[in-house]
Amino acid sequence: MTKHTISPQTGILGEAFACDCGVVLGGRMVAELHAAENDLCSACLGSTTEEVAPDLVRGCTACAGTGRRQEQITWQLAYAEAEHLITMSVVRGIVARFDGPFHLSEIADTIRTGLGLPTGRLPVGPRVRDLLLQLQAAGEITMLSAPDEMLGSDTVLYRDPQWQRARTLGI
């Protein structure tokens, strides 16, 4: 059985990757294809880790740190199902029930309970986070949280951010 461990290579080729099987891969897309063809996660290329920011490495979220393609596909399908069930109107409806500040976890838990989803059934938190960030970008809610951690000079980490509905001025 041939081992496939894909790693980035620095040199005159620009962005290139090499696999332990001896194949030199001339770019990210080629490396992702090689990983997928060999049942490896195409996000982390089978390494099981992802670099979130310089000097911050964590387990790959696309494959749950397994490095395998099956887990990546399972997660992608679960996220697609979450997109179908957890719509912007669902999140807006839950947010409208809160008079004061609310945490991401409160909205996610309310949605999970309302839809009757057991914990771990779907990636509810990541889907709700994405929609809350869209509401924030649209000016419908305002983030109240300070970052929990600074990662380098331009990256911040929020563990359970808190928002509040934006107030409209009656003139």
Side-chain angles (χ1 to χ4, degrees):
M1 180 176 191
T2 305
K3 185 174 180 185
H4 295 276
T5 303
I6 301 168
S7 55
Q9 303 295 304
T10 56
I12 58 174
L13 296 175
E15 184 184 45
F17 297 83
C19 183
D20 282 354
C21 71
V23 175
V24 175
L25 308 159
R28 178 71 192 193
M29 285 184 61
V30 177
E32 288 177 11
L33 181 60
H34 185 75
E37 288 171 344
N38 291 285
D39 198 32
L40 299 176
C41 172
S42 60
C44 68
L45 304 176
S47 71
T48 74
T49 61
E50 61 182 341
E51 187 173 4
V52 180
D55 298 324
L56 177 64
V57 178
R58 67 177 179 194
C60 178
T61 55
C63 65
T66 65
R68 308 303 299 169
R69 182 86 172 135
Q70 181 61 42
E71 288 80 356
Q72 178 188 16
I73 292 170
T74 300
W75 191 91
Q76 288 172 333
L77 290 172
Y79 191 86
E81 186 177 349
E83 284 180 319
H84 179 72
L85 290 174
I86 305 167
T87 63
M88 183 60 81
S89 62
V90 169
V91 172
R92 271 193 183 109
I94 300 299
V95 166
R97 297 182 196 170
F98 286 83
D99 288 331
F102 55 87
H103 287 273
L104 165 63
S105 60
E106 292 174 298
I107 303 299
D109 290 345
T110 302
I111 289 172
R112 185 179 294 107
T113 301
L115 294 175
L117 299 170
T119 302
R121 166 69 180 89
L122 293 177
V124 175
R127 174 62 178 158
V128 170
R129 176 205 59 221
D130 293 348
L131 292 173
L132 288 173
L133 289 172
Q134 287 179 27
L135 288 173
Q136 179 182 334
E140 295 181 40
I141 60 175
T142 303
M143 184 177 279
L144 301 177
S145 295
D148 292 307
E149 193 173 335
M150 295 291 294
L151 309 173
S153 61
D154 61 351
T155 307
V156 294
L157 176 67
Y158 295 91
R159 289 191 175 77
D160 191 12
Q162 186 179 46
W163 284 275
Q164 180 174 305
R165 287 187 299 155
R167 305 274 187 238
T168 56
L169 299 174
I171 297 178

